[in-house]
Amino acid sequence: MTGPQGATGPQGPQGLTGPQGTPGPGARIITTTFGTLTNYHPGCTAASKEGLVCHSAAHRYCGAVGYATSVGIVEYSGATAVVGCLK
């Protein structure tokens, strides 16, 4: 017979993020700018980066560079946007 479970302690510190894996066939991670994405949808700016407007801009951008669709903006920093495109 065992006694009652004790309280869970605090979680320890998280380690460093590992390297990004290689995209599979038909997928590409493309670094661009919000200025470029604004050309595909005027409402997409660094201020609106997480909205549907920028998702639409990423989709249009991927289509223009030869891909079928986009998973949207997967990373961003300042004026830089990283877009995931799929064949």
Side-chain angles (χ1 to χ4, degrees):
M1 210 162 155
T2 60
Q5 173 90 20
T8 303
Q11 184 175 359
Q14 298 295 313
L16 298 174
T17 302
Q20 182 175 357
T22 304
R28 184 165 175 213
I29 304 298
I30 302 173
T31 301
T32 187
T33 65
F34 283 101
T36 297
L37 294 178
T38 299
N39 293 330
Y40 292 94
H41 199 300
C44 180
T45 65
S48 65
K49 60 191 162 276
E50 295 181 12
L52 292 176
V53 171
C54 282
H55 189 83
S56 177
H59 174 75
R60 293 173 185 178
Y61 171 76
C62 287
V65 295
Y67 289 83
T69 191
S70 168
V71 295
I73 297 171
V74 296
E75 241 178 83
Y76 54 82
S77 179
T80 301
V82 181
V83 178
C85 298
L86 303 171
K87 285 281 183 187

